[in-house]
Amino acid sequence: MKRIIEGSPLIPKIERGKKIQVIVDDKRIEAFEGETVAAALLTAGITTFRHSQKNKEPRGLYCGMGICYECLVTINGVHAQRACITTIKDGMRIETCKELKL
Amino acid sequence: MIGSYELAVIGAGPAGMKAAITASQDGVRTVVIDSFLQPGGQYFMQAPVEYKPLGQTQTEKTGKELIQQFSSSPLTIFKGTLTWGIFKEENEEEWLIALFGDSETKFIRSKNIVLATGAYDTPIAFPGWTLPGVITCGAALILLKSHRIAPGTRAIVTGTGPLILSVSAHLLEAGVNVLAICESNTILPKGIGHAPTMLSHMHRLKEGAKYMNVILKNKAPYKTGWSINRAEGNDHVEKAFISKVDKKGIPFLASQVEHQVDLVVSGYSLTPNTGLARMIGCEMDYQADRGGWVPSRNEKMQSSISGIFIVGDGAGIGGAENAEIEGQIAGNEIALRTGHINLKTGQERFQELQPRLRNQKRFGKLYGDLFTPKPGLISLANDDTILCRCEEVTLGEVKKAVAMGAKTIGEVKMITRSGMGNCQGRMCEHSITGAIVKALSAELATFKTVGFNSIRPPLHPLPVNFLAEVQKELDVTE
């Protein structure tokens, strides 16, 4: 999973937002202002966002538009946030695969 | 004090924007609630505001113009805000609409509501579909078009409809190796019958041709009558198995081909997002060729409940242009009902829109004929395959529930908890219905008799502390 640099007819070139840094599971990763948490995690190579409650199977981004609730992560200590519709902010602390207590 | 409006529009895609523009420009006091940070919906999806585009596609340009018109209309917008409930006491005139977002506003009131909640990719369950790296067309397009991110390097695209062509072309331009594009329906014999309709939709043909060109240029195989049948991997998808499917959607495993992949994009046409319509109690009807359960409406786009209008793909799949016209009809009707335009103007405008609407309906018919997912696709799942992703309910468990006597989706829900999780059944309803129909004989169950998941507020899971605040605010109001 990588950011597209060159433009093309269907995906014209774009200047990204400002470079920012966030902490994902105690590791520092780079992201761009305007990206969603999911976009930043995926480009950092993180695709398992959580494990399912019953079978403990890996889950990640699925619908990408906020309706399937598969991409839940912990953001700044708040559980069960949808990575796909949450805009990333400088200094955000994101935790994947935290046991969810719903 | 709860703000009071003449019209509340839920959703700011093509349908919602057009309804809001039409009504507000006639003087209707209008509020729009959208769950995304920027208007446009899925079709006119914009890049994040923090990004600076150095070029734009035709769709982006058309979208920008509509968004510009929308943003300069005299209306109130709540962005990034979920509508989690719509309530009304019998003796009241106004609906109470419950919101969850960054704003302090938790409730608004409105006499009329336009639901323009769009659609999502119809999920089809196959072994391995819960693995990271298996995503929907919608997810892929958001990453590619809005975030400029290539979601993988080696991909299988599977599903039915024009969206899989769009996704494939975008993936290819992003440098992703698309190993196969599996269109589960066979297009040709039926497609020829629709040639005259296609010819009156030249711009759509052109758009399709543009995607097809990219696909051909890159030699990505477009295989009609094929589908994925399973995906494998440990923490991420590693292998995808594709095979021919018959007219019912049942795979011929003898034709199976294995691919090494890190991405599977899946979208078996679209399902209207009807959660709010169900919650309010609008009469629903099952129409497979329009995406499944759709609300009944009159010609003015009003549902079975007075004051509730439903437009766009959320009322039945028809595409962005159809959505805009439906939005305009509803906006116009509400301007008339609230006394902002007279009967003559209202009727004239309604009549004026009819030829364009009829043309769109012909396209909708073509789309439904060609791209309705086959009911037999439930055969892709085996007994261990998860159908309900939230509650982790397998096909085997659903079959067991049917063996115990369950005949409806509600009964299966009571026995297995399917559809009771965070997504409220949006991801599993199609598969579970298919499983019940398959397990029972045709006389005992159809997609219609199996029914749909009833939806109760909150439509989305809400933080507990937020609910406490809501209670406080309601106590003050009453």
Side-chain angles (χ1 to χ4, degrees):
Chain A
M1 257 130 288
K2 58 176 198 301
R3 295 185 178 91
I4 303 163
I5 310 292
E6 294 303 320
S8 65
L10 292 176
I11 311 171
K13 202 169 168 141
I14 206 156
E15 213 169 88
R16 286 174 198 278
K18 228 169 65 194
K19 230 179 226 179
I20 54 170
Q21 287 198 331
V22 297
I23 312 277
V24 183
D25 301 328
D26 299 324
K27 258 187 12 217
R28 198 175 289 273
I29 68 162
E30 226 166 53
F32 291 90
E33 269 184 356
E35 283 181 345
T36 56
V37 169
L41 291 179
L42 292 177
T43 48
I46 302 161
T47 62
T48 297
F49 291 4
R50 66 180 187 103
H51 288 100
S52 66
Q53 276 186 298
K54 206 163 89 185
N55 302 334
K56 311 292 172 208
E57 285 169 353
R59 298 285 174 90
L61 183 79
Y62 180 63
C63 82
M65 54 174 89
I67 59 173
C68 78
Y69 289 82
E70 285 286 43
C71 65
L72 301 180
V73 294
T74 301
I75 299 174
N76 293 336
V78 184
H79 284 311
Q81 303 295 299
R82 286 169 293 172
C84 72
I85 57 156
T86 308
T87 305
I88 204 151
K89 293 274 172 334
D90 193 33
M92 225 176 209
R93 293 189 81 90
I94 299 152
E95 293 161 281
T96 64
C97 303
K98 285 264 282 197
E99 188 71 24
L100 293 179
K101 292 183 185 67
L102 293 174
Chain B
M1 246 317 264
I2 294 178
S4 176
Y5 297 87
E6 287 172 301
L7 167 63
V9 178
I10 322 286
M17 282 196 288
K18 205 72 187 189
I21 292 168
T22 309
S24 69
Q25 290 189 351
D26 279 330
V28 177
R29 243 173 84 74
T30 303
V31 61
V32 180
I33 302 134
D34 191 41
S35 63
F36 294 95
L37 292 170
Q38 289 188 83
Q42 294 303 312
Y43 189 74
F44 290 132
M45 186 195 323
Q46 301 293 301
V49 284
E50 292 84 352
Y51 286 22
K52 205 171 104 204
L54 303 173
Q56 61 181 359
T57 62
Q58 187 54 47
T59 312
E60 280 172 334
K61 207 173 147 225
T62 315
K64 277 230 167 70
E65 284 163 13
L66 183 62
I67 291 167
Q68 182 55 41
Q69 216 187 341
F70 172 71
S71 304
S72 58
S73 295
L75 41 81
T76 307
I77 310 174
F78 286 98
K79 294 175 185 168
T81 303
L82 292 172
T83 302
W84 60 265
I86 295 178
F87 313 90
K88 193 164 81 116
E89 301 291 334
E90 253 173 53
N91 52 357
E92 281 174 349
E93 258 197 23
E94 291 181 309
W95 297 88
L96 183 67
I97 302 165
L99 311 179
F100 174 62
D102 291 338
S103 144
E104 285 291 296
T105 307
K106 292 187 185 66
F107 293 99
I108 52 169
R109 290 187 194 281
S110 182
K111 261 191 198 137
N112 298 285
I113 295 178
V114 169
L115 299 176
T117 47
Y120 50 86
D121 298 275
T122 304
I124 295 286
F126 50 83
W129 76 303
T130 57
L131 276 170
V134 179
I135 62 176
T136 66
C137 287
L141 285 172
I142 291 172
L143 289 173
L144 288 158
K145 286 165 67 175
S146 174
H147 290 287
R148 266 64 170 185
I149 284 169
T153 58
R154 293 171 60 83
I156 291 290
V157 179
T158 184
T160 184
L163 264 188
I164 62 169
L165 294 179
S166 166
V167 167
S168 301
H170 282 86
L171 285 171
L172 288 162
E173 279 203 359
V176 178
N177 188 359
V178 178
L179 303 160
I181 304 156
C182 300
E183 162 60 62
S184 65
N185 289 10
T186 39
I187 312 294
L188 263 187
K190 272 190 174 173
I192 290 165
H194 286 292
T197 306
M198 259 342 282
L199 288 175
S200 64
H201 290 263
M202 274 316 282
H203 59 292
R204 280 186 157 124
L205 271 182
K206 275 188 194 153
E207 198 181 345
K210 194 170 65 188
Y211 299 144
M212 225 31 191
N213 269 337
V214 179
I215 291 165
L216 290 171
K217 204 176 75 195
N218 286 279
K219 301 193 172 65
Y222 176 59
K223 298 155 95 80
T224 60
W226 281 67
S227 171
I228 195 167
N229 68 57
R230 84 179 191 273
E232 285 178 2
N234 288 314
D235 285 335
H236 193 92
V237 63
E238 290 160 26
K239 286 180 193 171
F241 299 83
I242 62 170
S243 57
K244 278 185 193 165
V245 290
D246 70 9
K247 279 195 179 119
K248 289 182 193 148
I250 298 166
F252 293 118
L253 292 180
S255 61
Q256 182 174 287
V257 181
E258 179 184 334
H259 288 285
Q260 307 291 318
V261 298
D262 59 5
L263 175 66
V264 169
V265 184
S266 156
Y268 289 77
S269 190
L270 297 163
T271 296
N273 196 0
T274 56
L276 288 170
R278 294 179 191 196
M279 185 191 288
I280 300 168
C282 298
E283 189 186 294
M284 306 287 289
D285 186 26
Y286 191 84
Q287 295 179 13
D289 57 352
R290 298 185 62 230
W293 287 102
V294 293
S296 310
R297 296 180 297 172
N298 67 13
E299 57 178 10
K300 305 285 168 56
M301 310 298 152
Q302 187 168 225
S303 72
S304 62
I305 295 176
S306 177
I308 304 288
F309 294 74
I310 311 180
V311 293
D313 279 358
I317 304 308
E321 288 168 64
N322 175 67
E324 283 189 37
I325 301 168
E326 289 190 1
Q328 225 172 322
I329 291 173
N332 182 51
E333 178 64 14
I334 290 159
L336 176 62
R337 282 172 63 128
T338 49
H340 290 277
I341 57 171
N342 62 35
L343 187 63
K344 188 167 168 283
T345 309
Q347 277 174 346
E348 272 170 14
R349 287 192 198 161
F350 175 74
Q351 288 308 332
E352 242 172 62
L353 289 165
Q354 291 312 301
R356 277 172 63 210
L357 184 69
R358 276 196 296 272
N359 194 29
Q360 289 303 320
K361 295 302 172 196
R362 276 194 295 273
F363 178 79
K365 174 89 176 53
L366 171 155
Y367 179 92
D369 264 9
L370 296 185
F371 303 121
T372 300
K374 306 285 188 223
L377 288 167
I378 185 64
S379 312
L380 300 179
N382 59 40
D383 282 358
D384 298 328
T385 307
I386 300 271
L387 299 188
C388 165
R389 300 169 74 110
C390 300
E391 298 292 327
E392 299 174 77
V393 179
T394 62
L395 172 61
E397 288 169 87
V398 171
K399 277 157 75 174
K400 224 179 272 172
V402 173
M404 285 166 69
K407 285 191 183 64
T408 66
I409 198 143
E411 287 160 0
V412 169
K413 184 180 188 171
M414 276 194 284
I415 297 170
T416 66
R417 296 187 58 80
S418 61
M420 288 178 79
N422 281 335
C423 90
Q424 297 238 33
R426 281 181 283 246
M427 294 298 118
C428 66
E429 187 172 276
H430 182 82
S431 299
I432 290 181
T433 305
I436 300 170
V437 171
K438 194 187 168 199
L440 294 166
S441 67
E443 302 89 70
L444 287 174
T446 63
F447 272 64
K448 212 170 237 182
T449 64
V450 168
F452 54 85
N453 286 308
S454 51
I455 302 287
R456 287 181 192 85
L459 182 64
H460 301 272
L462 298 171
V464 178
N465 54 352
F466 175 78
L467 283 173
E469 283 173 45
V470 165
Q471 194 54 52
K472 233 187 284 166
E473 186 157 328
L474 280 181
D475 291 345
V476 175
T477 324
E478 270 155 21

